[in-house]
Amino acid sequence: MDALPTPTELFLPRTRGPWSAPASFARPLVRGPVRTSTRADCAARRHLRRALWVVLCVAAVLAGMGVQSLYTADLAERLAQAQARVNDLDQNLQTLRAQASTHDDVESLRSVMGHGFDGTAARVSAVESGSVAPVVSRVAKSVALIQARYVLIDPPTGRPLRLVLVKGKPQMGADNEPRLTLSGQGPIYMFRSTGTAFVVDAQGTLVTNRHVALPWEQGVAMQAMQSFGVRPMVLELRGFLPGTVEPFAVSVAGVSATHDLALLRGSGAALTAEPLTMSTLPPSPGDAVLVLGYPTGLTALIARADKRFVSGLRQQADMNDQKAADALAQAGLIQPLVSRGIVAQVSAAAVVHDAQTTFGGSGGPVLNLRGEVLAINRAILAGFGGANMGVPVGMASELMQAESEARKKAEQP
């Protein structure tokens, strides 16, 4: 019979069996190797902290570079916009420099444009100066809408420029302008323009801008003339005066070689309209001015018409600019738009004012509150809201005098 173990033996570790392994495994963990493992762990943690620190530094650098890139891109965009405005201003100043009599004239304009217009007090004074309705009613009858149609012809062959068609539709170029050709069977490309002029004498003489009288000297037409060697052929040049239902024929009587000025000779209603008075004194900065004209051409006139008139135009399938102008005249809707502002600067080259206008208003009179012509509106300064330039009326008077003398010489036997 086997003897039972004593109570003491029950609690003693056996030399073999499942309990021997944990006992032998526990012994090494209690001695020297514990300190070695702890140092290794500390070193590992130090390396980890250094790695994390490096990662954080790199991330911070990258984030800073990203923010700097965004700032740089925004700055570049703003600089590009500013450069575009400067280019527009420089272009206008270069034109003025060619026309101005002295360098000081251009520099005075540059100073005004650079510092903006400080005209709040003058504007309030102008508004409080009283109603200008009687003046506007009187002078508006002599301010004409000018409408032109012309084509560009190849002189040797007489062929006109035509639209390039692709699958029956006009093909557009990279500049979003229609492509043109002297060959092919596409429609003849008809150039149209509108502007403003005003009557200045009993012979039906009207003053306007050169670029209104000769519209092909700029834009797409000028590019086509340079590319194809074509020349303009005027199909129609006519004018409309408020209160009249029929247009009057217009011809170019003279153009200035140095300023954006031209004289037109009108017939019909232009011979009976009351001539506008030319001011003999230049304006001063802060003076109130009125500008009359036809900005945006027919668009603004149609926008002011009632729904019945507009609906009638839409129902005509063959409606074009000429027929629309005829309809406006028949309905008594041809009236110049009036804007009011103040003079910002005056020089021998230009009268700078801030009365609102846009394309189509070129050639309109800039008037004082007595209805006397101070300047002929000629340009909009891009990037300067409400900043417009007019040719001083004295230059128009000189052109009229030169044209009158030339006409008298031509009439002599």
Side-chain angles (χ1 to χ4, degrees):
M1 181 175 179
D2 294 333
L4 293 175
T6 63
T8 303
E9 292 177 337
L10 290 175
F11 295 95
L12 291 176
R14 298 180 182 179
T15 57
R16 295 176 184 175
W19 292 104
S20 62
S24 62
F25 181 73
R27 281 194 297 269
L29 296 179
V30 200
R31 298 182 180 177
V34 173
R35 289 190 298 271
T36 303
S37 176
T38 301
R39 286 196 297 270
D41 290 343
C42 292
R45 284 194 294 271
R46 284 197 301 271
H47 288 303
L48 179 60
R49 285 196 297 269
R50 291 173 182 171
L52 289 175
W53 177 251
V54 172
V55 170
L56 290 175
C57 291
V58 172
V61 171
L62 292 176
M65 293 175 61
V67 172
Q68 182 65 29
S69 298
L70 292 175
Y71 175 78
T72 302
D74 178 67
L75 180 61
E77 182 178 358
R78 284 184 289 166
L79 287 174
Q81 294 173 354
Q83 185 62 46
R85 290 194 295 269
V86 170
N87 291 341
D88 289 336
L89 178 58
D90 283 344
Q91 184 175 0
N92 282 282
L93 289 174
Q94 288 172 10
T95 302
L96 281 175
R97 183 173 287 108
Q99 297 178 351
S101 57
T102 67
H103 179 72
D104 293 339
D105 294 330
V106 176
E107 292 307 315
S108 65
L109 289 175
R110 184 188 295 274
S111 175
V112 171
M113 296 169 202
H115 293 87
F117 302 120
D118 185 14
T120 303
R123 190 186 307 279
V124 173
S125 175
V127 171
E128 295 176 348
S129 62
S131 174
V132 296
V135 175
V136 172
S137 177
R138 172 169 54 86
V139 301
K141 298 176 182 179
S142 302
V143 180
L145 168 70
I146 302 299
Q147 204 174 37
R149 286 191 307 147
Y150 61 98
V151 294
L152 296 178
I153 302 294
D154 179 43
T157 63
R159 291 180 299 179
L161 274 182
R162 298 176 179 272
L163 292 172
V164 175
L165 298 182
V166 176
K167 297 181 179 180
K169 296 183 178 180
Q171 185 177 11
M172 308 302 288
D175 55 357
N176 204 31
E177 295 290 347
R179 292 188 59 190
L180 304 174
T181 180
L182 284 171
S183 58
Q185 300 299 319
I188 295 175
Y189 189 59
M190 188 81 64
F191 291 83
R192 294 178 170 86
S193 67
T194 58
T196 305
F198 55 95
V199 179
V200 292
D201 64 24
Q203 288 72 47
T205 304
L206 300 99
V207 173
T208 188
N209 291 143
R210 176 178 176 130
H211 74 263
V212 173
L214 308 178
W216 47 82
E217 291 187 340
Q218 59 182 0
V220 177
M222 172 57 72
Q223 296 175 11
M225 291 172 65
Q226 294 173 346
S227 300
F228 295 94
V230 291
R231 293 294 179 265
M233 175 185 289
V234 178
L235 302 180
E236 186 175 49
L237 183 61
R238 61 180 187 167
F240 292 86
L241 282 169
T244 62
V245 297
E246 297 293 336
F248 58 89
V250 175
S251 60
V252 178
V255 296
S256 172
T258 55
H259 304 287
D260 192 3
L261 284 174
L263 300 178
L264 304 176
R265 190 80 68 217
S267 58
L271 298 173
T272 58
E274 181 181 354
L276 297 188
T277 302
M278 304 287 209
S279 176
T280 57
L281 297 175
S284 300
D287 286 353
V289 292
L290 302 171
V291 176
L292 278 71
Y294 297 89
T296 72
L298 301 183
T299 303
L301 300 179
I302 294 174
R304 293 191 296 176
D306 57 30
K307 294 182 179 179
R308 178 179 299 179
F309 178 84
V310 176
S311 178
L313 291 182
R314 290 175 177 173
Q315 291 176 4
Q316 299 187 34
D318 58 345
M319 179 57 59
N320 55 35
D321 291 351
Q322 278 62 40
K323 291 184 178 181
D326 291 336
L328 286 165
Q330 293 291 331
L333 296 176
I334 291 186
Q335 293 286 338
L337 278 71
V338 184
S339 58
R340 188 170 179 171
I342 62 171
V343 174
Q345 180 69 22
V346 180
S347 73
V351 174
V352 183
H353 63 88
D354 66 350
Q356 296 289 339
T357 187
T358 186
F359 69 91
S362 295
V366 181
L367 310 163
N368 59 27
L369 297 187
R370 295 185 298 275
E372 299 169 337
V373 181
L374 302 172
I376 298 85
N377 209 43
R378 65 164 292 268
I380 303 167
L381 294 182
F384 293 86
N388 306 298
M389 306 188 76
V391 182
V393 70
M395 296 179 179
S397 298
E398 293 175 2
L399 180 61
M400 291 174 60
Q401 181 66 28
E403 191 274 334
S404 176
E405 294 176 357
R407 187 172 67 251
K408 289 179 180 178
K409 290 181 180 180
E411 293 174 352
Q412 291 177 357

